Amino acid sequence: MHAAGDVRVEEREDPKIIEPTDAIIRVTASCICGSDLWPYRGLEPVKDQVMGHEYVGVVEEIGPEVKNVKVGDFVVGSFVISDNTCEICRSGYQSRCVHGEFVAATVGTQSDKARIPLADGTLVATPGQPDPGLIPSLLAASDVLGTGWFAAVAADAGPGKTVAVVGDGAVGLMGVLAAKQLGAGRIIAMSRNPQRQELARFYGATDIVQERGDEGVAKIKELTNGLGAHSVIEAVGTQESMMQAIRSTRPGGHVGFVGVAHDVELPGLELFFADIHLHGGPAPVRRFLPDLIQLIWDRKIDPGKVFDLTLPLEEAAEGYKAMDERRAIKVLLTA
Ligand SMILES: [Zn+2]
């Protein structure tokens, strides 16, 4: 991305092993993230930036210290590089690894090949070579599924809980899927888009709320005996969506927030009297990857359905346009 709105596919030098803990992968599929739209829309600074942080592929080369993946393995990686051995990683927060770095900032996986640092701690090999039909779902595990899953866990979704989901993008939809898998009985998706409402229902939403902001909050209260939801997933990152999430949560309830916050300011006094748990941030996808890969492998979940447009990598610019104009929920790029 040379500047806001200016995406071009260009030749770069092939990546090489630099550190003994690196792996080089041939990217089978990557995709465009909702968070890539922030710089695209000029809401985050961008200049000549490599793009892409979601990826699946085949290991082509490994450094001498890599032990957990081998050449030929099909791998799924997290959008944050992690060693998976430091104290923070071992506590389940690999997205804040003391040796962590964001794939988006340095690697850029909207490409044919990528150098993945700390391969042992970042990549997870699938049980075998996947059926092509599984590739979109495995790719979803790299970010949107893992992020939606983390949001649902952070929101304490589970049996007996009513879960409300703010945001009908790919992460919000994956939050619905995760809440369902975690056993939530009632799942309220907040969406005004008929196609996304349908997908939300496919993934397990039991109710749809079309209203936004305080009207949306009133609707959630109406559906929950005036109390609010036990668990609320926030998957947008704006002031309005964050307040909608906080105000939709009952006292003692949990908000799992994973929308990258932009100009969000929380009113302290309202927060004080809300009596709720707030937990969020960049999702530690690596924590969930082994389980998510297995669920996909066993065809128990079908997260790949969030991709509603597939383009060859060369047409990445059109993919950004389609997502920016909300013509596509999520764009898969094939190598
Ligand atoms: Zn670590």
Side-chain angles (χ1 to χ4, degrees):
M1 191 178 292
H2 288 280
D6 181 9
V7 172
R8 290 176 236 160
V9 178
E10 293 172 350
E11 285 297 323
R12 291 161 62 199
E13 226 178 286
D14 275 353
K16 289 181 181 59
I17 299 281
I18 298 171
E19 300 293 334
T21 47
D22 289 348
I24 305 295
I25 63 166
R26 174 164 290 281
V27 179
T28 307
S30 93
C31 49
I32 302 171
C33 184
S35 64
D36 294 334
L37 296 181
W38 293 104
Y40 187 80
R41 290 171 173 162
L43 298 169
E44 265 177 26
V46 61
K47 189 173 188 316
D48 306 326
Q49 172 71 48
V50 293
M51 298 301 295
H53 55 267
E54 299 154 282
Y55 55 100
V56 292
V58 177
V59 176
E60 280 204 337
E61 199 183 342
I62 54 172
E65 286 176 23
V66 174
K67 293 177 190 71
N68 299 345
V69 297
K70 55 186 193 303
V71 172
D73 278 353
F74 192 91
V75 290
V76 185
S78 157
F79 67 90
V80 185
I81 302 298
S82 59
D83 57 19
N84 210 25
T85 54
C86 76
E87 198 172 326
I88 300 296
C89 280
R90 282 187 282 119
S91 73
Y93 286 85
Q94 292 91 338
S95 46
R96 294 297 313 279
C97 174
V98 299
H99 298 117
E101 60 179 280
F102 282 93
V103 172
T106 53
V107 178
T109 55
Q110 288 162 10
S111 60
D112 295 308
K113 289 189 179 195
R115 178 181 78 92
I116 307 296
L118 301 177
D120 275 345
T122 304
L123 301 173
V124 179
T126 56
Q129 296 299 316
D131 182 272
L134 287 182
I135 286 175
S137 287
L138 291 167
L139 177 61
S142 179
D143 181 357
V144 284
L145 173 61
T147 296
W149 199 278
F150 170 61
V153 169
D156 204 29
K161 298 286 180 74
T162 293
V163 180
V165 181
V166 180
D168 64 358
V171 171
L173 292 166
M174 294 295 92
V176 171
L177 177 157
K180 166 94 177 160
Q181 289 294 314
L182 293 167
R186 191 170 196 193
I187 303 169
I188 308 166
M190 304 187 88
S191 172
R192 297 194 284 206
N193 177 311
Q195 185 207 355
R196 295 174 189 221
Q197 290 172 3
E198 194 185 318
L199 206 44
R201 286 200 187 274
F202 169 81
Y203 283 129
T206 52
D207 302 80
I208 303 286
V209 165
Q210 306 224 25
E211 289 80 359
R212 275 193 189 175
D214 287 342
E215 280 175 34
V217 174
K219 206 78 194 168
I220 298 287
K221 293 254 172 87
E222 207 180 295
L223 292 169
T224 53
N225 299 322
L227 302 176
H230 300 92
S231 305
V232 180
I233 290 171
E234 193 287 325
V236 183
T238 62
Q239 183 72 26
E240 185 189 46
S241 64
M242 194 66 183
M243 293 317 298
Q244 191 175 321
I246 289 170
R247 291 173 180 158
S248 298
T249 308
R250 66 173 59 192
H254 294 70
V255 177
F257 61 101
V258 292
V260 183
H262 283 78
D263 297 323
V264 174
E265 283 185 31
L266 301 182
L269 196 60
E270 182 177 348
L271 205 52
F272 178 79
F273 281 104
D275 258 313
I276 59 172
H277 305 73
L278 285 181
H279 186 188
V285 169
R286 181 64 181 76
R287 186 205 311 179
F288 305 107
L289 267 184
D291 289 343
L292 296 178
I293 288 171
Q294 199 59 49
L295 284 171
I296 293 164
W297 205 259
D298 297 338
R299 291 178 161 78
K300 294 202 170 121
I301 55 173
D302 189 8
K305 271 183 126 61
V306 291
F307 295 104
D308 54 350
L309 179 62
T310 296
L311 293 171
L313 181 61
E314 295 70 40
E315 290 172 36
E318 167 53 25
Y320 276 81
K321 215 158 170 270
M323 275 181 64
D324 178 43
E325 294 165 5
R326 282 177 73 91
R327 282 185 282 121
I329 298 173
K330 194 159 178 72
V331 177
L332 186 146
L333 299 171
T334 56

